[in-house]
Amino acid sequence: SQQGEEDPQALSIQEGENATMNCSYKTSINNLQWYRQNSGRGLVHLILIRSNEREKHSGRLRVTLDTSKKSSSLLITASRAADTASYFCATDAYGGSQGNLIFGKGTKLSVKP
Amino acid sequence: DVKVTQSSRYLVKRTGEKVFLECVQDMDHENMFWYRQDPGLGLRLIYFSYDVKMKEKGDIPEGYSVSREKKERFSLILESASTNQTSMYLCASRLGGPTYEQYFGPGTRLTVT
């Protein structure tokens, strides 16, 4: 049951540029989370935004949430080669199965030095 | 720091073998999860557990079973491995409900030949 869908599937930028990834989902949510996965490794939590929040910052990360459009975006400013990874959004479908997170398929970001 | 460990990073098994994947977390988390990750399909939930000896089916439980005898340990069992179970398996734990972040292990890349 796919809830979040990231866009684009892949993104290639130069170091220092900003990277924007989008996530769309289908049903109402309580919160939305973003995770990063370095190649062949486990996922690492980046940031959580609640349904009553519109924007949240953490270091070089900025997340927005538009519940009317059922979409979120993750902006990484001044990207570095170390930001090369796959990025996933995860939602808990409101009233859904016991609060399990549903992950999208991810955006693969490549930051070239 | 929360640590989630998985018993193997790489595993090669033969068709029909019984396979055990072990996951251990060290932060007294209530909830534990098993996912598999395949290219183009993202993360899919196999089983989850909200307490010792409790287990619930996720989206793709067929061919798998789980065991949670102790709070810190959640095992995934492939009763009779098949080639279509070749995948990356990710374990995760979480303190409480979906407003908490999930902590992932490094993953086990299982190849069934």
Side-chain angles (χ1 to χ4, degrees):
Chain A
S1 50
Q2 204 70 39
Q3 167 76 319
E5 292 283 345
E6 291 90 346
D7 170 60
Q9 289 186 332
L11 181 61
S12 183
I13 59 174
Q14 295 293 130
E15 217 168 20
E17 293 180 342
N18 295 342
T20 300
M21 287 157 272
N22 302 297
C23 170
S24 59
Y25 56 92
K26 295 172 185 170
T27 63
S28 297
I29 60 171
N30 291 310
N31 68 76
L32 184 145
Q33 303 183 33
W34 284 92
Y35 287 79
R36 183 188 75 226
Q37 183 181 34
N38 290 89
S39 181
R41 308 290 297 185
L43 280 71
V44 174
H45 181 264
L46 294 176
I47 197 165
L48 179 152
I49 185 164
R50 300 182 194 281
S51 60
N52 60 354
E53 297 176 310
R54 291 295 165 258
E55 189 171 309
K56 204 160 181 181
H57 297 253
S58 176
R60 294 184 296 113
L61 304 180
R62 173 181 166 240
V63 168
T64 61
L65 179 64
D66 187 335
T67 52
S68 67
K69 294 181 180 177
K70 292 186 171 59
S71 68
S72 173
S73 67
L74 171 67
L75 168 68
I76 303 174
T77 59
S79 62
R80 305 166 182 167
D83 294 327
T84 293
S86 292
Y87 292 82
F88 295 85
C89 67
T91 55
D92 68 319
Y94 183 77
S97 177
Q98 295 156 305
N100 290 330
L101 294 182
I102 304 171
F103 288 82
K105 295 179 183 178
T107 291
K108 194 167 187 177
L109 173 66
S110 175
V111 182
K112 300 187 186 310
Chain B
D1 272 358
V2 174
K3 196 166 183 183
V4 180
T5 56
Q6 295 183 228
S7 50
S8 307
R9 287 299 315 279
Y10 300 94
L11 207 53
V12 180
K13 294 292 182 181
R14 293 194 180 276
T15 300
E17 278 193 83
K18 192 168 186 175
V19 181
F20 293 87
L21 302 182
E22 302 280 331
C23 175
V24 178
Q25 50 95 2
D26 66 356
M27 281 300 289
D28 204 34
H29 283 178
E30 300 289 335
N31 308 324
M32 296 189 74
F33 307 85
W34 274 108
Y35 297 89
R36 64 177 282 176
Q37 184 178 26
D38 301 287
L41 296 177
L43 273 75
R44 292 180 292 167
L45 182 64
I46 305 172
Y47 266 98
F48 58 98
S49 170
Y50 287 135
D51 202 351
V52 175
K53 295 194 185 294
M54 290 185 68
K55 57 187 178 185
E56 296 287 342
K57 293 179 180 178
D59 297 321
I60 51 163
E62 295 78 19
Y64 304 93
S65 62
V66 289
S67 172
R68 191 160 181 208
E69 296 296 317
K70 293 185 178 181
K71 193 174 187 178
E72 67 270 19
R73 189 179 297 268
F74 192 35
S75 302
L76 180 69
I77 303 153
L78 286 65
E79 297 291 341
S80 177
S82 63
T83 54
N84 63 12
Q85 292 178 309
T86 291
S87 186
M88 169 72 102
Y89 289 88
L90 293 165
C91 174
S93 73
R94 191 175 76 195
L95 177 62
T99 56
Y100 290 89
E101 65 180 276
Q102 287 187 189
Y103 293 84
F104 283 82
T108 295
R109 189 166 293 281
L110 172 67
T111 301
V112 182
T113 61

